[in-house]
């Protein structure tokens, strides 16, 4: 029997956000996601993030699973205007459908009868009930990606292994450490030496899109993480976007150190054993180099990330062409 998701105990009682680390894996854990699949998943994630009114703080799409650190704000359906609702619908529905909803909402909004007012509220609730809700966000995202993937590959049936897993995360330092854990996934898997070189994690997108739209959402996520105080009433440092990225890079370096088995010294037998698995990460020398630079990337490093991000894409050309 599936277990109920753990939600923040204050969800129904307080006007307070909650942060969750969500993970979902492909059925059979086969490596199904190539470049195009990871690109599409990221695109859909950002669309439904905006539609549902959530905030993705960090993410990483791997070859057979994904990680998302997401903040879920309290429900604000009543404060969302009809025009703002229509704008959100435009993110995921066709123009014709959105136009029809706009016309119906407009007509019902002018009604003065009790039945008309109730019909207006019910029509709004049809959409707002799916917003500011972790379960709805994950459900819609996974279902929409499954439909796209199955159509592309000529398959049918479920794509994901059971339900997603979620962990409630404390804000402040705990949330920043969790974000670093997520961005370090491709390093731990031995796919890259540095998260900035893995296109489908939020840190690489933030570096590649510095100063532009490509990575602005990712950079906004890190900026928000560093606005969180660890102690109620404590003073929060006012940091520029570049300072946030530098601090976060140093945090990743400290959290990403190469680790031996359970942090214990290895015996000669363990070193020779095929069963022994060494957790990949930064060497002490690499960590010291990052800390010495105070987390700064050189212009040439940033330029390489930008160039790689755009040239690795499925489409190259002007904004209008893409």
């Amino acid at each position: 029997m599936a277990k109920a998701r753990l939600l923040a105990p204050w969800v129904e009682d307080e006007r307070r956000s909650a942060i969750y680390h969500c993970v979902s894996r492909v059925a059979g854990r086969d490596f199904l996601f190539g470049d195009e699949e990871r690109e599409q998943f990221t695109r859909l994630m950002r669309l439904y993030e905006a539609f549902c009114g959530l905030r993705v703080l960090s993410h990483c799409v791997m070859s057979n699973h994904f990680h998302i650190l997401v903040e879920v704000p309290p429900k604000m359906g009543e404060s969302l205007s009809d025009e703002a609702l229509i704008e959100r619908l435009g993110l995921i529905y066709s123009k014709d459908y959105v136009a029809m909803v706009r016309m119906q909402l407009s007509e019902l909004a002018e009604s003065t009868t009790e039945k008309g007012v109730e019909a207006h509220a019910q029509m709004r609730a049809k959409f707002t009930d799916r917003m500011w809700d972790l379960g709805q966000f994950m459900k819609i995202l996974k279902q929409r990606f499954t439909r796209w993937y199955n159509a592309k590959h000529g398959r049918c049936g479920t794509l994901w292994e059971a339900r997603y897993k979620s962990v409630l995360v404390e804000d402040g330092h705990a949330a920043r450490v969790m974000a670093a854990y997520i961005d370090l996934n491709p390093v731990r898997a031995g796919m890259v030496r540095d998260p900035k070189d893995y296109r489908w994690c939020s840190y690489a997108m933030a570096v590649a899109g510095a100063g532009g739209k490509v990575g602005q959402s990712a950079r906004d996520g890190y900026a928000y993480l560093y606005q969180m105080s660890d102690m109620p009433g404590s003073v929060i440092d006012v940091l520029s976007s570049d300072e946030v990225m530098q601090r976060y890079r140093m945090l990743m370096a400290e959290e990403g150190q190469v680790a031996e088995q359970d942090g214990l010294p290895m015996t000669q037998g363990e070193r020779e054993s095929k069963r022994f698995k060494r957790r990949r990460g930064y060497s002490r020398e690499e960590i010291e180099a990052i800390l010495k630079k105070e987390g700064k990337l050189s212009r040439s490093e940033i330029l390489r990330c930008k160039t790689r991000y755009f040239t690795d894409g499925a489409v190259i050309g002007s904004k209008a062409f893409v």
Side-chain angles (χ1 to χ4, degrees), residues 173 184 188 247-257 282 284 287 290-291:
H173 181 69
L184 286 165
R188 298 300 194 196
R247 286 201 184 186
Y248 185 67
R249 183 166 178 77
M250 289 190 286
L251 174 63
M252 283 196 301
E254 293 168 345
E255 292 295 321
Q257 183 175 0
Y282 292 115
R284 174 44 55 184
I287 295 172
I290 291 173
L291 297 181

Side-chain angles (χ1 to χ4, degrees), residues 29-265:
R29 305 200 177 189
D30 295 325
F31 298 101
L32 300 183
F33 300 162
D35 293 359
E36 187 175 357
E37 287 76 17
R38 286 176 284 195
E39 200 76 30
Q40 177 71 355
F41 183 89
T42 303
R43 186 185 74 83
L44 291 174
M45 178 192 73
R46 289 300 182 186
L47 280 179
Y48 289 111
E49 171 195 16
F51 171 76
C52 292
L54 311 185
R55 189 196 303 268
V56 172
L57 303 174
S58 178
H59 78 277
C60 184
V61 187
M62 301 291 281
S63 300
N64 65 356
H65 69 283
F66 66 82
H67 296 261
I68 301 178
L69 184 67
V70 58
E71 182 202 40
V72 182
K75 287 186 175 294
M76 298 178 286
E78 294 180 359
S79 62
L80 189 71
S81 68
D82 283 0
E83 194 58 38
L85 174 60
I86 290 297
E87 185 177 343
R88 289 198 188 185
L89 296 182
L91 296 171
I92 62 173
Y93 290 108
S94 68
K95 291 183 178 179
D96 290 342
Y97 181 77
V98 173
M100 179 191 71
V101 174
R102 181 195 296 273
M103 181 180 66
Q104 292 179 351
L105 279 176
S106 179
E107 292 175 353
L108 290 172
E110 295 176 357
S111 175
T112 57
T113 67
E114 182 178 345
K115 186 175 180 180
V117 172
E118 183 179 351
H120 179 260
Q122 289 177 345
M123 189 170 188
R124 282 175 50 87
K126 175 182 176 181
F127 304 108
T128 58
D129 284 351
R130 298 158 61 193
M131 300 176 182
W132 308 288
D133 187 289
L134 177 66
Q136 287 295 322
F137 168 68
M138 294 295 291
K139 177 183 178 181
I140 298 169
L141 172 59
K142 292 175 66 177
Q143 286 181 345
R144 181 65 184 85
F145 180 78
T146 297
R147 289 200 298 271
W148 175 88
Y149 184 91
N150 285 353
K152 176 178 174 58
H153 294 280
R155 70 184 297 276
C156 60
T158 183
L159 177 64
W160 303 100
E161 178 185 81
R163 297 170 67 190
Y164 69 93
K165 296 180 180 179
S166 62
V167 177
L168 182 62
V169 181
E170 185 179 15
D171 56 12
H173 181 69
R176 293 189 285 271
V177 170
M178 182 58 75
Y181 164 81
I182 290 172
D183 279 315
L184 286 165
N185 260 256
V187 176
R188 298 300 194 196
M191 302 172 76
V192 293
R193 288 294 308 159
D194 191 299
K196 68 178 172 55
D197 299 321
Y198 187 74
R199 176 185 175 91
W200 300 279
C201 74
S202 47
Y203 179 72
M205 296 184 73
V207 173
K213 291 184 178 180
V214 173
Q216 192 57 52
S217 294
R219 291 174 73 89
D220 288 347
Y222 297 127
Y224 188 77
L225 282 168
Y226 277 88
Q227 292 173 10
M228 298 177 182
S229 173
D230 296 315
M231 296 292 292
S234 63
V235 177
I236 303 174
D237 293 338
V238 179
L239 304 174
S240 68
S241 179
D242 288 341
E243 288 172 331
V244 165
M245 294 298 292
Q246 291 163 21
R247 286 201 184 186
Y248 185 67
R249 183 166 178 77
M250 289 190 286
L251 174 63
M252 283 196 301
E254 293 168 345
E255 292 295 321
Q257 183 175 0
V258 171
E260 309 297 359
Q261 191 175 29
D262 297 326
L264 300 175

